[in-house]
Amino acid sequence: MIEFMVGGMNAAAKYIIPLLLVGIPLYALSVKKVKVYEVFVEGAKDGFTIAVRIIPYLVAILVAVGMFRASGALDLLLNLLAPVLNLIGFPPENLPLALMRPLSGSGSLGLLTDLVNEYGAESMYAKIGATMFGSSETTFYVLAVYFGSVGITRSRHALAAGLTADAVGALAAVFFCKLLLG
Amino acid sequence: MLNYIWFGMMAISVIAGIFTGNIEAVTEAAINMAKVAVEISIGLIGIMALWLGIMKIAEASGLIRIIARGLNPITVRLFPDVPEDHPAIGSIVLNMAANMLGLGNAATPLGLKAMEELQELNPKKDTATNSMVMFLAINTSSVQLIVPATVVALMGATASQIFLTTILATLASTIAAIVMVKILEKMKRFSVEDAS
């Protein structure tokens, strides 16, 4: 049943983008007589300005994240947090991924690959890791890109809320994997 | 808050780098990531242009308005300071739909379009509004209904087992995000006047 659903959704996902690319102009052209080519070009012009506007924000965030990752500070944090998390049944093997997930997409994918190679895809560590990876986003990157694109520097409670959600997501991944797959 | 976190990350990195002997790697990472940031931004131009163009057509044909109206009961509660028929709602809904389906490439341009439209309603241009923070928090908590293709490739046959756990975990983090935003937005230290 679940295999069927996953297969079905992944198969459907393949068709969504081409359908949107054709379906939206089709509706606009046939129902509303929109000049689709002209309007497309008009909208597409913004692509360049927005992408360029993000640069300084992304440089600021990615440099800090990159330094943090390279410094080994994550390992220090790991040693600090491991005993506490052990108490609530959070496997220490999954902690690096949980800490990396909000910082770096490629970094956390690398850690997930390590888990699969080390313990096998059938292992609880890999299942928890994959759940964590799939259920969360790269918070720092999203913040830099989304706020950067409109020039927002005062982010207020965004980071606090985002990181709390990441922590809840990581704990939920452990909880549901142990409950349903254990 | 970002001021302290940003500086804190760099300061901790340098101190930790000195103690762990990784200081050269820290320097290298800083220089390298500055380059990566530009490459990512420039790489976004094409895909941004494509989706913003399609979005403009969807907007001109009234499709966005139709979609926004359909999900009105949910969006008025999440984004109370955005007028019901504002185009931002349409972009927000489409961004979330793209995220749910795992279409990351489409989700970012749609999200940035939504941010631009939310910014039109913002009286203080350098400070995030409640709606912007809500939108961002929902995005970072990743409302995803399918297992990412990269994970499927990695996990092979086991991928189907984590389908349900991924949805449940993402649901938990999204609810946490919404609740946290609603609680924190009322706190003085995060208010539009005082926050950084």
Side-chain angles (χ1 to χ4, degrees), chain A residues 48-137:
Chain A
F48 184 79
T49 27
I50 294 180
V52 171
R53 217 184 302 153
I54 299 167
I55 293 176
Y57 301 88
L58 211 51
V59 168
I61 295 289
L62 290 190
V63 164
V65 167
M67 287 169 72
F68 195 72
R69 279 181 57 191
S71 71
L74 216 51
D75 299 326
L76 299 176
L77 200 60
L78 229 58
N79 293 334
L80 224 63
L81 285 174
V84 186
L85 288 169
N86 246 334
L87 286 177
I88 55 168
F90 193 106
E93 285 78 4
N94 286 113
L95 189 55
L97 180 57
L99 293 176
M100 183 64 86
R101 192 69 190 97
L103 296 174
S104 158
S106 57
S108 46
L109 186 61
L111 288 175
L112 177 61
T113 313
D114 287 347
L115 283 176
V116 174
N117 289 341
E118 184 99 344
Y119 303 103
E122 286 293 326
S123 68
M124 185 53 86
Y125 299 137
K127 289 174 191 169
I128 293 175
T131 302
M132 272 179 194
F133 185 86
S135 65
S136 188
E137 258 297 336

Side-chain angles (χ1 to χ4, degrees), chain A residues 60 68 71 127 131 150 154 156, chain B residues 6 20 126 128 130 161 190:
Chain A
F68 195 72
S71 71
K127 289 174 191 169
T131 302
V150 290
R154 290 148 65 98
R156 293 178 59 212
Chain B
W6 184 69
T20 55
D126 67 336
N130 287 347
Q161 287 185 32
F190 290 123

Side-chain angles (χ1 to χ4, degrees), chain B residues 19-81:
Chain B
F19 279 104
T20 55
N22 289 341
I23 193 67
E24 277 173 21
V26 172
T27 313
E28 201 179 310
I31 293 162
N32 193 33
M33 285 308 254
K35 209 172 114 199
V36 168
V38 176
E39 285 165 3
I40 291 177
S41 305
I42 299 296
L44 272 175
I45 294 176
I47 189 80
M48 288 285 298
L50 172 62
W51 282 107
L52 292 175
I54 292 290
M55 277 294 284
K56 196 85 176 176
I57 296 175
E59 210 179 294
S61 66
L63 267 177
I64 306 269
R65 188 159 300 182
I66 296 171
I67 294 165
R69 234 177 250 153
L71 287 157
N72 211 5
I74 304 169
T75 50
V76 286
R77 282 181 182 83
L78 289 176
F79 309 100
D81 45 357

